[in-house]
Each structure stands twice: as C-alpha cells, then as structure tokens.
Amino acid sequence: MRLSSMADYAVVMMCAAARHCGCHTADRPLLSAQQLAAETGLPAPTVQKLVSKMSAAGLLKAVRGARGGLKLARPAAAISLADIIEAVEGPIAMAACSGHGRGDCTLEGACMVRPHWPAVDAALRGALSGVSLVQLARPAQSFHGALSVAPAPIPAELPA
C-alpha cells in the first residue's frame, strides 16, 4: 500500500502550512502558494492544484486583500491525516468493491471477503484519523513515539 504522489505532496504542503499557523500578524501577511512551493520544493502548479483541493475540502482558507493569503481553515489539531488523504484521493477504500459503487471484479458474485472490506476501511480510516496535522508538522525527533496505534488482536481461530 502506498499513497499517491499527490496525496503525499498534500501532506507535505499541509505540514508546511501548519508550521506557519498562528505566526501571521499585522506586520506579516498570511502564507502564499508561492511560499508553500518554495518551502516544500513542490512545483507551483502542483501547489495551486493542492490548494484548490484542500480549500474545497474545508482544510485551507483563502483570505483576500492586501494582507491576504492562505491559512488553515481550522486548528491543525483538528485536521487529521485521513482528512488530507481523502481531500485528494476520495473516501478511503482498500479494495475497489469496498468503495462507493461496484468494482469490475470477476469474483464479485461469489466473493466471501467483500462484506468485510467496510470494517477494514473503517479501521484504516480510524488509524489515519488518529494522526493530527500537529503531530505531522513536528520535527522528526519530537515525533518519535508520538503515535500509539495498537494493532487489533488476531484471533487464533476463525469463527465457524
């Protein structure tokens, strides 16, 4: 399993935005897309596309005017990794048939696993929801040990 490049870039960009959160004052304007591109090393067109997706998802807010720019739409602690990924990728679904709508799987009619994918999707979303933008924006040395997601126990035997 791997994030798409755009979802990965969105996380990087939102972390940069979070590090600037709260540091704008009357003397210092809000963050610009150009500043985000420069800080992250992402191409400006990619940042613009991601700003649009994050704004549409209610994660970033554009403020107009002479001191305008971009800011987080809500506190960084209230934005999760799941929120960012879903803004780019859509709902979290491990298999095509577990998402919204049917996949084109040839096993769909006889598949015994399909009914279980929603629970798997919920567990994955729950784990990703437990990681806040505040945690992700911290320097690496202070992040170590900040996550405490315990794996679910696996039963020794499957129920009959």
Side-chain angles (χ1 to χ4, degrees):
M1 247 180 35
R2 183 171 277 174
L3 287 179
S4 70
S5 294
M6 287 302 279
D8 185 15
Y9 298 159
V11 173
V12 169
M13 184 191 79
M14 290 296 287
C15 286
R19 285 190 293 274
H20 289 275
C21 182
C23 65
H24 55 273
T25 64
D27 297 342
R28 185 173 179 175
L30 298 173
L31 196 58
S32 72
Q34 292 77 18
Q35 288 171 306
L36 281 173
E39 182 172 328
T40 60
L42 295 171
T46 300
V47 170
Q48 290 288 0
K49 184 182 290 189
L50 290 171
V51 164
S52 177
K53 286 181 178 283
M54 297 300 113
S55 297
L59 303 178
L60 280 180
K61 183 177 180 182
V63 177
R64 300 198 183 276
R67 292 282 177 200
L70 300 167
K71 67 178 186 174
L72 296 178
R74 54 187 195 245
I79 297 173
S80 73
L81 181 54
D83 295 331
I84 298 167
I85 293 170
E86 287 183 329
V88 175
E89 301 290 334
I92 292 168
M94 291 291 293
C97 65
S98 70
H100 303 282
R102 294 199 178 282
D104 56 358
C105 179
T106 58
L107 302 175
E108 192 169 346
C111 182
M112 299 293 287
V113 177
R114 184 170 189 235
H116 301 286
W117 282 123
V120 173
D121 296 340
L124 179 57
R125 189 176 197 299
L128 295 173
S129 292
V131 181
S132 74
L133 187 53
V134 167
Q135 291 171 294
L136 292 170
R138 287 184 187 143
Q141 59 271 26
S142 67
F143 185 76
H144 181 69
L147 291 178
S148 59
V149 178
I154 299 173
E157 293 182 35
L158 292 175

